[in-house]
C-alpha cells in the first residue's frame, strides 16, 4: 500500500471514529440527566439535518428525471 493510499485510508478511519464519538455524545446528551431544553434542541437539530438530507435527495432525484437526453440513441461517440 502506497503512502498516499495509507493516508487516505487513515483519514477515513479518523473521520468515522470522530463521527462515532459525536453520535455517542449526542445520544448521551439526549438520554442523559440534562435539562429538557438540551434534549429538545439536540433532537430538533438532528431532525432538521435529516429532513434537509431527505429533501435535497428528493429534489436531486426529481431534477435528474426531468433532464432530457441531449443525444439520440447513438450517444456521444458518433458510432452507429
Amino acid at each position: 500500500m502506497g503512502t498516499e493510499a495509507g493516508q487516505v485510508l487513515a483519514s477515513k478511519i479518523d473521520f468515522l471514529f470522530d463521527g462515532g464519538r459525536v453520535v455517542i455524545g449526542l445520544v448521551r446528551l439526549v438520554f442523559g440527566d440534562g435539562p429538557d431544553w438540551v434534549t429538545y434542541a439536540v433532537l430538533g437539530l438532528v431532525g432538521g439535518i435529516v429532513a434537509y438530507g431527505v429533501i435535497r435527495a428528493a429534489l436531486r432525484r426529481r431534477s435528474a428525471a426531468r433532464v432530457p437526453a441531449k443525444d439520440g440513441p447513438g450517444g456521444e461517440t458518433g458510432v452507429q
Side-chain angles (χ1 to χ4, degrees):
M1 183 181 291
T3 306
E4 189 174 319
Q7 288 176 348
V8 170
L9 182 60
S11 68
K12 288 181 181 179
I13 291 172
D14 288 342
F15 178 75
L16 289 174
F17 179 75
D18 292 341
R21 289 182 57 174
V22 167
V23 169
I24 289 171
L26 289 175
V27 168
R28 290 180 71 188
L29 271 174
V30 169
F31 297 112
D33 294 332
D36 288 341
W37 68 270
V38 173
T39 300
Y40 299 141
V42 170
L43 289 176
L45 287 172
V46 170
I49 292 170
V50 169
Y52 177 77
V54 169
I55 290 169
R56 291 294 298 164
L59 290 175
R60 267 186 276 143
R61 178 177 227 152
R62 193 167 139 199
S63 67
R66 275 192 280 159
V67 174
K70 293 181 182 179
D71 296 329
E76 295 181 6
T77 59
V79 178
Q80 300 278 331

